[in-house]
Amino acid sequence: MTPLLTLSPHNPDPDLIRQAAAVIQRRGVVAFPTETVYGLGANALDEEAVAKIFHAKGRPSNDPLIVHMASVDEMNLVAANVPPVVKKLAAHFCPGPLTFVLPKLPHVPASVTAGLNTVAVRVPAHPIALALIRESGVPIAAPSANRFGHTSPTTAQHVLDDLNGRIDMILDGGAASVGVESTILDVTREPVMILRPGGVAHEAIERIIGKVELRNNRPNSDDEAQAAPGLLGKHYTPNAELILCKGEKDSALEKLFGLAKQAQAEGRSVGLLLANEDMASFESCVPYPLGSSADLESIARNLYAGMRALDNQGVSLILTRDFGKQGLGLAIHDRLLRAASQII
Ligand code: TXA
Ligand code: MG
């Protein structure tokens, strides 16, 4: 059994933070809340501690980790050069769901960066995460705290469901407020490029610095991971089969309706991962309303929790649709593409 400590997300108890930091300092792994998803943290500068992250998750060693710092000023503890564009963006988005890919310093272990000469760094906007980093006194490497390939965790219970007994401690700070991972921005190239869409929208970044490229994010095959880090093909998957219906709302819902009827005729239990207003026309499916489709923040916040909740209710098929590519829609689209067994 992994011990779980419950903390106030606004005002974490310093004694509990000290206990968690002590685990980090003795090379342990601690799951902790961030505003995006729960992370599985260890001392980023200690090879042995970092190895435990990969082992606990069953994560392949060619998939590099994000290093979490308590402030933008500290990024130069792991990065050889922090270009001015970082300062400019940080003024708007840090702490927050924006990760920068920077040239790395030699003392960052190769296992953190999967042998790349760059390191991914972010400052999380969560009082528990920040307190843990400060109290530990080291940068904390942390991927999402799920079994490799599974749906990312947005609550401590999700972490427990995946990693109980495999990690040293879980800090419970309630549900994540953003619900999808950080946007990863490669600032070692010109123009800078979004490698993974996430909690900070492409448009929002462009409003500050002008043109930003978007990497062609079609899922890659798994052995391409090294060349295209972070974009392993199949990822974020629930246990149930997930079918994503693309296209405009009405045509997507029509396709979904047909699929639901057919699956039910075959005796399958069908879960719906849809906007509140989409649910009306479906009968005897298991609904997981994500919020209004006009409120993409709500859709993002509930997305992973919905996949896990439907799995827990034993459905064998989850049906969902696209929510466009504007703003947070792009990150939602990216995660659904990777979670899907079929795209129709
Ligand atoms: O919101 C988040 O970013 C969460 C929380 C815990 O901070 N973390 C997260 O970590 O999503 P993870 O490991 O699930 O995804 C990080 C991705 C990896 O898939 C990795 O390939 C990419 O970031 N990455 C890390 N270092 C990189 C580098 N040097 N160059 C390019 N991509 C990198
Ligand atoms: Mg992950």
Side-chain angles (χ1 to χ4, degrees):
M1 282 293 286
T2 296
L4 184 145
L5 310 185
T6 302
L7 293 84
S8 155
H10 310 293
N11 199 6
D13 181 338
D15 276 341
L16 299 182
I17 292 292
R18 270 194 287 276
Q19 283 184 42
V23 175
I24 296 284
Q25 285 161 353
R26 37 166 217 270
R27 303 181 144 167
V29 284
V30 176
F32 61 96
T34 82
E35 78 282 27
T36 58
V37 300
Y38 273 67
L40 182 60
N43 180 350
L45 302 180
D46 185 314
E47 197 107 34
E48 192 181 315
V50 168
K52 291 181 188 163
I53 295 176
F54 285 90
H55 181 253
K57 286 196 61 156
R59 181 178 174 111
S61 61
N62 63 355
D63 192 3
L65 306 176
I66 293 175
V67 176
H68 297 69
M69 317 285 308
S71 75
V72 175
D73 290 339
E74 288 171 16
M75 285 185 184
N76 57 23
L77 296 175
V78 294
N81 170 36
V82 181
V85 68
V86 173
K87 299 272 158 59
K88 212 164 164 185
L89 288 168
H92 292 85
F93 304 118
C94 297
L98 183 58
T99 295
F100 299 100
V101 171
L102 298 164
K104 89 172 191 78
L105 282 172
H107 70 117
V108 179
S111 53
V112 171
T113 62
L116 297 171
N117 55 11
T118 53
V119 59
V121 189
R122 93 171 180 103
V123 181
H126 197 295
I128 295 177
L130 292 172
L132 178 64
I133 300 164
R134 286 204 191 95
E135 187 66 32
S136 302
V138 291
I140 294 187
S144 50
N146 50 278
R147 286 288 197 128
F148 180 71
H150 193 208
T151 309
S152 302
T154 57
T155 67
Q157 183 62 49
H158 296 160
V159 179
L160 209 53
D161 290 345
D162 273 25
L163 298 174
N164 192 12
R166 301 182 65 84
I167 60 179
D168 298 307
M169 184 178 278
I170 300 174
L171 302 183
D172 184 350
S177 59
V178 176
V180 292
E181 294 84 348
S182 60
T183 300
I184 301 179
L185 191 66
D186 184 351
V187 295
T188 64
R189 59 197 303 293
E190 184 66 57
V192 302
M193 181 185 265
I194 292 178
L195 302 181
R196 175 180 76 181
V200 173
H202 184 191
E203 299 91 324
I205 298 173
E206 287 198 326
R207 274 197 290 278
I208 313 296
I209 58 168
K211 179 78 187 142
V212 173
E213 310 239 293
L214 189 59
R215 183 156 76 185
N216 173 358
N217 267 352
R218 258 176 317 151
N220 300 290
S221 76
D222 289 357
D223 33 317
E224 273 181 280
Q226 178 68 36
L231 295 169
L232 301 172
K234 207 86 168 86
H235 220 73
Y236 312 109
T237 56
N239 301 324
E241 179 185 3
L242 186 145
I243 300 182
L244 167 64
C245 287
K246 299 219 290 184
E248 290 306 310
K249 176 184 163 182
D250 287 348
S251 73
L253 285 177
E254 203 168 308
K255 282 189 266 185
L256 282 178
F257 192 74
L259 288 168
K261 276 194 108 155
Q262 188 190 334
Q264 286 182 316
E266 293 164 5
R268 299 179 74 183
S269 164
V270 179
L272 301 174
L273 194 62
L274 293 171
N276 297 2
E277 68 270 21
D278 295 340
M279 296 294 179
S281 48
F282 294 88
E283 274 170 27
S284 57
C285 291
V286 183
Y288 192 95
L290 295 167
S292 160
S293 62
D295 181 1
L296 291 177
E297 290 186 10
S298 166
I299 306 279
R301 184 162 53 242
N302 295 317
L303 191 69
Y304 292 140
M307 291 182 199
R308 283 177 178 262
L310 290 171
D311 266 343
N312 287 340
Q313 289 175 80
V315 306
S316 73
L317 175 64
I318 298 175
L319 298 176
T320 187
R321 72 167 170 99
D322 246 343
F323 294 93
K325 291 182 184 170
Q326 302 291 313
L328 271 178
L330 189 64
I332 295 166
H333 173 78
D334 172 81
R335 303 309 188 270
L336 287 176
L337 274 188
R338 283 169 218 291
S341 336
Q342 263 192 81
I343 299 155
I344 295 178

